[in-house]
Amino acid sequence: MNATDREILRLAVPAFLALVAEPLFLLSDAAVVGHLGTPELAGLGVAAVILQTVVGLCVFLAYGTTASVARHLGAGDLRAALAQGVDGVWLAIIIGGIATVLGILLTPALVGAFGTGVEVADHAETYLAIAFLGTTPLLVMLAATGVLRGLQDTRTPLHVAVVGNGLNIVLNVVLVYGLDLGIAGSAIGSVLAQVLSAAWLVAVVVRAAREHDAPLSPDLPGIRAAAHAAVALVIRTLALRACLLVGTYAVTRVGSNATDVNVATHQIAITLWSFLAFALDAIAIAAQALTGRSLGQGAVDTTRQLTRRMIRWGWGSGIVAGAALALSSPFIGALFTTDQEVRDLLVPVLLVAAVGQPLAGLVFVLDGVLIGAGDGAYLAWAGIAVLAAYAPAALVAATFPHGLVWVWVAMTFVFMGARGVLLSWRARGDRWLVTGATPVR
């Protein structure tokens, strides 16, 4: 194993474990709620898609912060790196406060947009109205994690993720079954775990800022600059999240798919897909941090070498993930539901998802490289192009017999395939290789 591999693994292994732990917040919720009944699980599915979309749109708080902090670190200015990170945390607090208020007020309308039955909608509204209280802690966790990744520290987020998820599982079981709070107990447990996790991460960032005399008070120009730089990543994320929403809409509203069984099956499948996506994203996290640092140092050749090596790691990780998903597909449904129809339908859906995992490994790595390079404008346009290709494909696929399976075929080969083509084309060029602490495009 060469020095490049060791550097990638030093960042990627803790990031892998942390990223696997993060979606366990929803996986543990799904496992606990799924045993309450299929309507409860379907309600959680609708609520989870909405919540993941809101939080996912703000993933720039982690990605953008990682890249900018890493560039300053590569340029040798640790104080500026931490100041940039603190601005990101303040931006997370501002956005989180707004999202919490709007989310609670709009919960009935957001759930109603999916057109599910009354019972499923009631469960979704109950969960979502409480879960929105955790929006600010979640966004603060994203920003603080981005700071630490930019500083080449992926171990601290791992420790927080493991402890926070363990606490979430305990609270879910106690509140849902011990106190008989039902689906509301699951949401309360998750929010409490998120608050404590966010407090831990912020404490680490604050301590580092004080050690290097970086400012902790809100810096409005810095916050505005962080928000302005995030616009392209927001557009990129919005387009990709819209693809996932289109897929859920196709399952819940198009053709003969709008049944509790299909919605519940799709929820389990998308949760497992997200779980693997976070796992595969570990190399992308390393890519963000190492690409930003090497470009901050002005080392273009090193950046190229890192990219080639990380692409190999992406392919390999995807092959392993796909094999694991395919082998577990006949058995994994039992962890989430007692409904045999859901278990049976889940198997072909997961097999389709398994085939696409190697491609996903490539896509996530290249996404991380370009984010680390600050190539947000191209990623935004690429995201819009992917949405334009995938949306009609998913809606048409849902009209076929066994439409749920065909929606997943479209997700695997159109959604991920288009991303792979566009990102690979960009990575072969030179326009993204901009050096310096603050890239100018």
Side-chain angles (χ1 to χ4, degrees):
M1 182 178 294
N2 60 31
T4 299
D5 286 336
R6 287 194 294 272
E7 185 78 352
I8 293 170
L9 288 176
R10 182 182 67 82
L11 294 173
V13 171
F16 166 76
L17 297 172
L19 289 167
V20 167
E22 285 178 15
L24 285 175
F25 273 110
L26 282 175
L27 276 173
S28 58
D29 285 1
V32 172
V33 171
H35 289 282
L36 291 174
T38 299
E40 286 86 350
L41 182 59
L44 174 64
V46 173
V49 168
I50 295 169
L51 189 63
Q52 286 176 317
T53 299
V54 173
V55 176
L57 288 176
C58 299
V59 74
F60 68 85
L61 292 166
Y63 291 173
T65 303
T66 296
S68 59
V69 169
R71 276 186 176 270
H72 283 290
L73 179 68
D77 193 346
L78 185 54
R79 183 180 182 277
L82 286 163
Q84 187 95 48
V86 170
D87 290 338
V89 173
W90 279 112
L91 180 60
I93 293 171
I94 294 170
I95 295 174
I98 296 171
T100 298
V101 173
L102 291 178
I104 292 173
L105 292 175
L106 295 175
T107 288
L110 292 171
V111 172
F114 287 86
T116 60
V118 174
E119 186 178 6
V120 172
D122 286 344
H123 291 307
E125 289 183 25
T126 297
Y127 185 92
L128 193 60
I130 298 170
F132 266 123
L133 296 174
T135 303
T136 299
L138 280 170
L139 300 192
V140 168
M141 287 170 63
L142 285 176
T145 297
V147 176
L148 297 176
R149 289 173 180 167
L151 296 174
Q152 320 292 291
D153 174 12
T154 55
R155 291 184 178 274
T156 299
L158 166 61
H159 298 154
V160 175
V162 170
V163 173
N165 185 69
L167 179 61
N168 180 58
I169 294 172
V170 172
L171 289 172
N172 264 258
V173 173
V174 170
L175 294 173
V176 172
Y177 296 112
L179 298 182
D180 198 26
L181 295 179
I183 195 171
S186 178
I188 293 169
S190 294
V191 169
L192 291 174
Q194 290 154 7
V195 169
L196 293 174
S197 297
W200 184 351
L201 288 168
V202 168
V204 174
V205 172
V206 167
R207 183 172 66 247
R210 286 175 173 168
E211 288 176 358
H212 296 279
D213 197 31
L216 292 173
S217 58
D219 177 52
L220 293 181
I223 294 172
R224 283 196 298 267
H228 177 74
V231 171
L233 285 180
V234 171
I235 295 172
R236 165 255 182 205
T237 304
L238 181 61
L240 298 182
R241 285 287 168 180
C243 289
L244 299 182
L245 284 174
V246 167
T248 299
Y249 177 86
V251 170
T252 59
R253 299 294 293 273
V254 177
S256 60
N257 284 287
T259 68
D260 286 355
V261 169
N262 278 322
V263 174
T265 303
H266 182 70
Q267 160 57 16
I268 296 173
I270 201 69
T271 302
L272 289 168
W273 186 87
S274 298
F275 179 88
L276 291 176
F278 275 107
L280 292 174
D281 214 24
I283 307 298
I285 297 303
Q288 291 173 26
L290 294 175
T291 300
R293 189 185 69 184
S294 62
L295 289 177
Q297 294 169 337
V300 172
D301 290 341
T302 299
T303 303
R304 283 287 193 194
Q305 292 171 7
L306 283 168
T307 300
R308 287 193 293 269
R309 198 63 188 169
M310 286 183 289
I311 286 173
R312 295 191 186 99
W313 278 97
W315 277 116
S317 300
I319 292 170
V320 171
L325 186 59
L327 291 173
S328 63
S329 60
F331 317 106
I332 200 166
L335 297 176
F336 300 96
T337 180
T338 57
D339 190 322
Q340 191 60 46
E341 285 188 81
V342 174
R343 293 185 190 181
D344 292 342
L345 183 57
L346 185 62
V347 175
V349 171
L350 293 185
L351 289 175
V352 171
V355 171
Q357 292 307 299
L359 175 60
L362 169 70
V363 167
F364 294 145
V365 163
L366 291 178
D367 202 45
V369 167
L370 296 178
I371 289 173
D375 198 22
Y378 179 80
L379 291 172
W381 284 111
I384 293 171
V386 170
L387 175 60
Y390 172 69
L395 294 174
V396 170
T399 65
F400 296 163
H402 311 293
L404 176 62
V405 176
W406 283 107
V407 168
W408 276 84
V409 169
M411 182 173 176
T412 298
F413 295 102
V414 180
F415 175 52
M416 298 305 295
R419 291 183 70 188
V421 170
L422 292 171
L423 296 180
S424 297
W425 180 81
R426 184 65 165 183
R428 290 193 182 97
D430 297 322
R431 296 186 64 182
W432 59 279
L433 291 165
V434 180
T435 59
T438 305
V440 179
R441 297 186 185 276

